[in-house]
Amino acid sequence: MQLIRHAKVLVAAIAACSILATIPASDVSARIEPNGSVSILQEVLPDGGFNRQVEIAYNPDLNQYLAVWRTSITFGPDTVYSSVLDASGTPTGSPVVLADNVGRGSNTLTPGGTSWRPDVSYNPVTKQYLVTIMRDFVEPRNSGILGILVSDTGAMASAETSISEPQGSENGDCVAAFPDAVADPVTGGYKIAYALRGEKCAGPGMNWISVIQPLGADLSRGSSVRVPTSSVYPITPRIAYNPAGSNFLVAITTHDDTFSVPQGFANIYTSSLASVSGPIEVVHDTFNSYDIGGVTVPIADPATGNWVVFYDSPRFEATRMNVFTSTGAKVGDAAIVRRGNISAVSAIGDATILVSNVQGPLQQLRQDGSEIHWIRGPLAVGNVGVPNTSIANGDPDDSRAGSIGLDPTTSATASTSVRLFAPGPLPVAPARLLDTRPGQTTVDGLALGGGKQSAGTVLALQVAGRGNVPTDASAALLNVTAAGANAVGFVTTYPCDAASRPTTSNLNYSAGGAASSAAITKLSATGTVCIVTSVEAHLIVDVNGYIPRRASVTPVVPARLLDTRPTGITIDSQRQGIGRIPADSTTTLQVTGRGGVDPTADAVLVTVTAIRPEQRAFLTIYPCDAARPTAANLNAAANSNVANLVTSKTSSTGTICIYSSAATDLAVDVAAYVPDNGGLLPILPSRLVDTRTGPGTSTIDGSDQGGGRISAGTTTEYTVDRGDIPPGATGVMLNVAAIRPDNGGFMTLFPSACDSTRPTTS
């Protein structure tokens, strides 16, 4: 079962002149990357013309988009175009002219009117798009907002229809401007927010006010509501729908008559336009007496039901991220967003937000404002990045889509695709989930005691929903310990709904003492893991992390890919019974295309077992097209059986290499893989800590080497964002070796002692 697909973002835009550059993939664990080639929607206009901002709407029924844009020729009329785009951003036909001769080539009556973008929204009830435009009228001196219905195939389904309050000749010098519309799934129609200016339409003594206009599916007007705000400066109200509360939020920026007190407000209404709450203050930073910023597009996050509202100060590139509940209660303090000048926002669907800004970057944010990843310019025409991205979110299982709107100084309207990669395994504070020994504890008092597990019996352990593991996690990172066994044995973990018990192992142990090993285990549909021990023993299980349902790591039912023993059996009968590996030798193992691993996988998570080495041995696992690193993934004493979980990048041909310092039998079981360009970023192994001195004990950068043995009962702190690990990493997968301890013992790894209490795990 495929549990992760790469999310994609479609980007449609007018090209501008910033250099395309992306943060290297190795910098982050969750990231945004350009995907695919650029599709030109319309070439550059002749005679000094240029393109204006593009807007885009997603059609979930057909998994496609409608892009709309407005062209402008200096001091001349404009044309509004549309184009249907498939999930990859490729136009399915030639651009369609929706409206011609829009505007008079002057903005003296309608500030910004001739450059205001057309707006587009998809109505899943009617299977149509609504495109809104502004028209300036020479006589009388006013402007109005018109709507055009477009079918899901891109054909015009209606003529231009006036959808703002009537602007007849008796209402000269009246301006209806800056429309923003959204479908209303409650009524099957639409809600549109726009601004009015002029006493004859806004009211005596009024400058700019905001209006919410309900529309039927046929664009018939209902009774409008005037939002209780007024401003001397043009208002650009923005509206969004929240399915969590079946309500609408209208965000507005106002200025007083001196222009010195800019304020952002949000008002929430029901579908019938009854007030839910408001005005709610939208927090922002004011840098001087004339702040040219304002509230940007609001968005409803389907994962949390929260509203997210940004206030932008473009001049100073400062943006505040405000979060409210669906009914308007404040959630935390307004966070400062690292890169301001935001022009568009979209909810990804996993409690994170994708935003763009007018210089071109796309960035993914958590709801506390912290940045997950950004790229400088996702759209490129030639080698040129494009600013002013306007985003429309797509199907999370197929494509995330967005359009890029543009710097109006250069060439063509274009589109491309951008992929969003989820994180890999997410760490949690270690928590004990199982302990069969008497007198012990678990994180919640469950799966406690019961005595030694009998040989060959199956223990079903509930993992999801415990120890901070979400109920919908797809896999868990476990530390499995066997203690008090009477003979040599092994432990196997696997999802309880697997078709059969796999012939693999996660842990090998000897008689008497305790042995531990990391395991990554796919969870059953109900969040359980089944555990079998070959010899009667106590079992202890700690959880250290989990793989989210849509993470860029795909767990599989464990499958054996290599077993050198004469009796060895692999999943496909390849690489079985090939004989012991010689000392100081390297074995090449094909891992992609086997055991459920995708042929294009970037990396694999495998359990590697050294079986009865002739002498003390260490193993190093690495991609076969790289030089062997000076690190070890597994250490084994002579004639012992030792297993360890290893994450290894694969070579370009899908192989990993296994170096053994001593002659030994080997077994390799695959537990998960990282898809092509997945979110878990494999790196070449590098040594971060070595307390020994002498040859072969150096670290990657000379830090944390030497220093002598670690005393019993002490806690030692190490910095691990070194080598190829970026400072922003949220977790690491480490191989930790205890070398010649004085007696039996255990180690616990946990976040820095400065911000975490040592857990009762090992």
Side-chain angles (χ1 to χ4, degrees):
M1 179 172 61
Q2 179 78 14
L3 296 178
I4 172 64
R5 291 185 175 90
H6 303 319
K8 300 177 183 176
V9 175
L10 176 70
V11 182
I14 300 166
C17 292
S18 62
I19 300 301
L20 177 67
T22 61
I23 292 181
S26 60
D27 284 0
V28 286
S29 61
R31 65 188 187 276
I32 312 164
E33 285 188 355
N35 174 57
S37 59
V38 173
S39 298
I40 302 299
L41 308 184
Q42 185 187 34
E43 299 292 349
V44 63
L45 294 177
D47 303 324
F50 53 81
N51 289 313
R52 296 290 185 177
Q53 186 172 354
V54 177
E55 290 294 318
I56 193 167
Y58 176 63
N59 178 342
D61 299 304
L62 298 179
N63 193 22
Q64 65 183 26
Y65 310 88
L66 185 71
V68 297
W69 64 95
R70 180 176 181 173
T71 62
S72 177
I73 298 177
T74 307
F75 302 115
D78 302 346
T79 301
V80 175
Y81 290 91
S82 70
S83 180
V84 174
L85 311 175
D86 65 19
S88 68
T90 304
T92 61
S94 300
V96 173
V97 174
L98 295 182
D100 213 346
N101 297 311
V102 178
R104 292 169 300 183
S106 170
N107 63 5
T108 56
L109 296 180
T110 309
T114 57
S115 64
W116 186 249
R117 57 171 176 74
D119 181 66
V120 59
S121 59
Y122 178 70
N123 191 331
V125 177
T126 63
K127 315 293 186 189
Q128 291 180 324
Y129 301 92
L130 170 62
V131 178
T132 59
I133 63 173
M134 290 171 53
R135 275 201 183 277
D136 293 346
F137 303 104
V138 176
E139 294 297 340
R141 291 163 55 86
N142 59 27
S143 72
I145 298 167
L146 299 101
I148 303 167
L149 294 176
V150 178
S151 74
D152 57 7
T153 63
M156 291 182 62
S158 78
E160 291 183 21
T161 303
S162 177
I163 56 177
S164 57
E165 293 183 355
Q167 308 299 313
S169 59
E170 71 279 5
N171 285 334
D173 295 319
C174 196
V175 172
F178 312 127
D180 192 46
V182 66
D184 182 354
V186 177
T187 66
Y190 305 88
K191 295 291 189 290
I192 178 173
Y194 59 93
L196 285 177
R197 189 196 73 170
E199 290 190 359
K200 292 186 178 180
C201 58
M206 302 297 285
N207 290 289
W208 288 90
I209 66 168
S210 293
V211 174
I212 307 175
Q213 179 75 61
L215 300 173
D218 60 354
L219 303 188
S220 57
R221 287 189 298 262
S223 298
S224 62
V225 169
R226 298 194 173 195
V227 182
T229 52
S230 176
S231 177
V232 298
Y233 197 68
I235 293 174
T236 55
R238 312 304 291 270
I239 189 169
Y241 173 74
N242 191 340
S246 298
N247 53 27
F248 297 83
L249 182 144
V250 178
I252 301 167
T253 309
T254 66
H255 290 76
D256 67 3
D257 56 6
T258 66
F259 288 88
S260 62
V261 186
Q263 290 182 290
F265 295 102
N267 294 267
I268 300 176
Y269 298 87
T270 66
S271 179
S272 62
L273 296 186
S275 177
V276 175
S277 60
I280 307 162
E281 181 186 10
V282 177
V283 176
H284 66 288
D285 293 315
T286 302
F287 292 88
N288 61 13
S289 62
Y290 180 60
D291 187 342
I292 63 172
V295 176
T296 61
V297 182
I299 196 71
D301 173 44
T304 61
N306 291 334
W307 291 106
V308 180
V309 186
F310 293 86
Y311 190 103
D312 207 32
S313 298
R315 177 181 294 180
F316 302 97
E317 297 189 6
T319 298
R320 285 279 186 175
M321 183 178 185
N322 296 258
V323 181
F324 307 103
T325 67
S326 63
T327 56
K330 184 179 179 181
V331 179
D333 295 328
I336 297 177
V337 176
R338 182 179 175 187
R339 289 170 240 279
N341 267 342
I342 289 175
S343 61
V345 184
S346 185
I348 293 174
D350 59 358
T352 67
I353 305 297
L354 188 67
V355 302
S356 63
N357 82 17
V358 296
Q359 279 79 39
L362 286 176
Q363 55 184 321
Q364 185 181 0
L365 304 172
R366 301 177 184 89
Q367 287 190 33
D368 62 1
S370 60
E371 184 177 83
I372 298 172
H373 187 218
W374 75 289
I375 57 173
R376 187 175 299 280
L379 185 94
V381 179
N383 291 318
V384 178
V386 178
N388 301 337
T389 310
S390 178
I391 308 157
N393 206 31
D395 183 351
D397 281 339
D398 185 12
S399 59
R400 305 254 186 222
S403 85
I404 290 205
L406 323 193
D407 184 327
T409 59
T410 48
S411 53
T413 307
S415 67
T416 190
S417 161
V418 173
R419 291 188 292 186
L420 303 177
F421 294 101
L426 299 178
V428 297
R432 182 144 292 175
L433 302 183
L434 169 70
D435 198 328
T436 64
R437 300 171 300 174
Q440 304 301 313
T441 60
T442 59
V443 68
D444 51 11
L446 302 176
L448 188 61
K452 289 185 177 181
Q453 181 74 12
S454 299
T457 61
V458 177
L459 186 154
L461 177 65
Q462 183 68 40
V463 175
R466 302 176 63 206
N468 293 318
V469 177
T471 56
D472 63 349
S474 67
L477 278 73
L478 306 174
N479 192 71
V480 180
T481 301
N486 295 324
V488 173
F490 64 89
V491 172
T492 298
T493 66
Y494 60 100
C496 290
D497 54 5
S500 60
R501 184 193 307 174
T503 57
T504 57
S505 63
N506 302 93
L507 166 68
N508 294 79
Y509 54 81
S510 302
S516 299
S517 182
I520 182 168
T521 305
K522 184 178 180 180
L523 301 180
S524 73
T526 57
T528 59
V529 167
C530 277
I531 307 171
V532 176
T533 176
S534 66
V535 173
E536 184 182 69
H538 281 297
L539 295 177
I540 302 102
V541 174
D542 303 321
V543 64
N544 300 301
Y546 68 93
I547 296 179
R549 182 171 59 92
R550 294 193 186 280
S552 293
V553 173
T554 303
V556 297
V557 175
R560 182 145 289 178
L561 304 182
L562 171 69
D563 195 330
T564 64
R565 295 173 295 180
T567 57
I569 299 175
T570 63
I571 188 69
D572 51 10
S573 300
Q574 299 180 41
R575 306 294 283 165
Q576 65 184 30
I578 62 175
R580 288 170 71 82
I581 304 303
D584 194 27
S585 67
T586 299
T587 301
T588 299
L589 178 63
Q590 182 71 40
V591 291
T592 62
R594 303 177 61 205
V597 178
D598 190 274
T600 63
D602 268 358
V604 288
L605 284 80
V606 290
T607 297
V608 179
T609 305
I611 305 169
R612 300 185 309 277
E614 290 182 354
Q615 56 189 10
R616 191 171 63 190
F618 70 87
L619 272 60
T620 300
I621 293 88
Y622 59 100
C624 291
D625 52 6
R628 176 162 62 92
T630 56
N633 299 96
L634 183 150
N635 293 268
N639 205 37
S640 65
N641 296 334
V642 178
N644 201 11
L645 180 67
V646 176
T647 302
S648 178
K649 184 175 176 60
T650 60
S651 72
S652 59
T653 58
T655 59
I656 60 173
C657 277
I658 307 168
Y659 170 81
S660 177
S661 64
T664 185
D665 276 309
L666 289 177
V668 175
D669 305 323
V670 65
Y673 68 89
V674 179
D676 180 30
N677 288 319
L680 175 67
L681 297 178
I683 59 175
L684 288 177
S686 57
R687 181 147 294 174
L688 301 180
V689 177
D690 197 326
T691 63
R692 301 170 299 174
T693 58
T697 61
S698 60
T699 61
I700 185 69
D701 53 9
S703 299
D704 293 327
Q705 66 184 32
R709 291 162 66 84
I710 303 300
S711 300
T714 61
T715 298
T716 307
E717 183 174 300
Y718 296 106
T719 298
V720 296
D721 53 353
R722 296 155 49 204
D724 290 335
I725 302 172
T730 58
V732 292
M733 301 186 74
L734 303 171
N735 189 72
V736 181
I739 304 168
R740 298 189 304 279
D742 288 342
N743 49 50
F746 66 91
M747 289 190 294
T748 298
L749 275 68
F750 57 102
S752 169
C754 299
D755 58 16
S756 179
T757 301
R758 178 165 66 88
T760 56
T761 58
S762 63

